[in-house]
Amino acid sequence: MKIEVSKLRQDEAEAVAGLAHAVWPVCYAGIISPGQIDYMLEQRYKPALVRQLLARGDLWLAARADVELVGFAHAYPLDNGDYKLDKLYVATDWQRLGIGGELIRATADYARRHGRERLILRVNRQNDKAIKAYLKHGFTVATVVIEDIGDGFVMDDYVMAMALATPAGEPA
């Protein structure tokens, strides 16, 4: 089946929230508590928030199989010139088929075209599966961040970075 990656539509905000609620309990089982999973989903995946970030101009990419949303990525520019890949999730039945890699490539291409030199992300230090995937796609560990996110929960993350070289034949 062919997967199409293109910009997320406003009417897909509910589908993003639904996909996040399906993937997170599987992705983070044994890494963070069910309470923290619920807390973070509530903070980050309200359809109204997704629509607000779309309206702000953030990059939201959708991976679709026919019309079904099977993955998504969210990224935005930082003041220091980096571009932050803030969210990247693929439905569990669709993982290991190259969809995450395609979302990374599309995000990196977009950031590069907009003059950014580095794509960065944060990943839980216990999320070995995701860390291996990011290393495979050219990211390296830059630093560690431990952040209190409220309600007694902490994010214990690697910041990973990937240089965005100008493609050969294009002016720098």
Side-chain angles (χ1 to χ4, degrees):
M1 172 161 296
K2 184 175 179 342
I3 302 297
E4 173 208 345
V5 173
S6 60
K7 288 198 175 177
L8 187 79
R9 300 183 313 264
Q10 284 276 348
D11 67 352
E12 292 177 304
E14 286 77 8
V16 164
L19 183 55
H21 280 82
V23 171
W24 270 56
V26 175
C27 174
Y28 293 108
I31 297 175
I32 59 177
S33 70
Q36 184 167 346
I37 291 169
D38 291 343
Y39 178 78
M40 293 179 73
L41 283 169
E42 176 63 23
Q43 280 187 328
R44 295 154 194 250
Y45 289 100
K46 293 179 183 172
L49 176 61
V50 173
R51 284 189 290 275
Q52 178 185 353
L53 295 173
L54 273 165
R56 179 176 84 175
D58 288 13
L59 176 65
W60 280 89
L61 295 174
R64 298 180 197 87
D66 287 328
V67 296
E68 178 188 1
L69 183 73
V70 297
F72 64 87
H74 166 236
Y76 56 88
L78 297 175
D79 290 339
N80 67 355
D82 289 339
Y83 209 74
K84 183 173 184 188
L85 177 57
D86 192 50
K87 298 169 181 63
L88 174 67
Y89 293 97
V90 175
T92 53
D93 291 349
W94 290 88
Q95 291 177 3
R96 306 199 57 78
L97 298 174
I99 297 168
E102 185 56 35
L103 288 165
I104 290 170
R105 276 188 293 284
T107 302
D109 288 348
Y110 183 90
R112 188 180 300 110
R113 285 193 315 270
H114 287 84
R116 301 300 168 144
E117 295 179 7
R118 228 171 44 143
L119 186 61
I120 66 162
L121 58 83
R122 285 176 59 171
V123 59
N124 186 291
R125 292 196 306 161
Q126 305 306 310
N127 193 343
D128 294 332
K129 185 176 167 185
I131 292 165
K132 285 178 188 173
Y134 292 133
L135 290 170
K136 174 182 155 187
H137 290 286
F139 285 88
T140 58
V141 175
T143 191
V144 173
V145 174
I146 298 173
E147 178 185 3
D148 182 335
I149 59 170
D151 262 18
F153 300 120
V154 173
M155 287 175 53
D156 182 6
D157 293 344
Y158 286 128
V159 175
M160 298 184 77
M162 177 175 63
L164 299 174
T166 303
E170 288 188 21

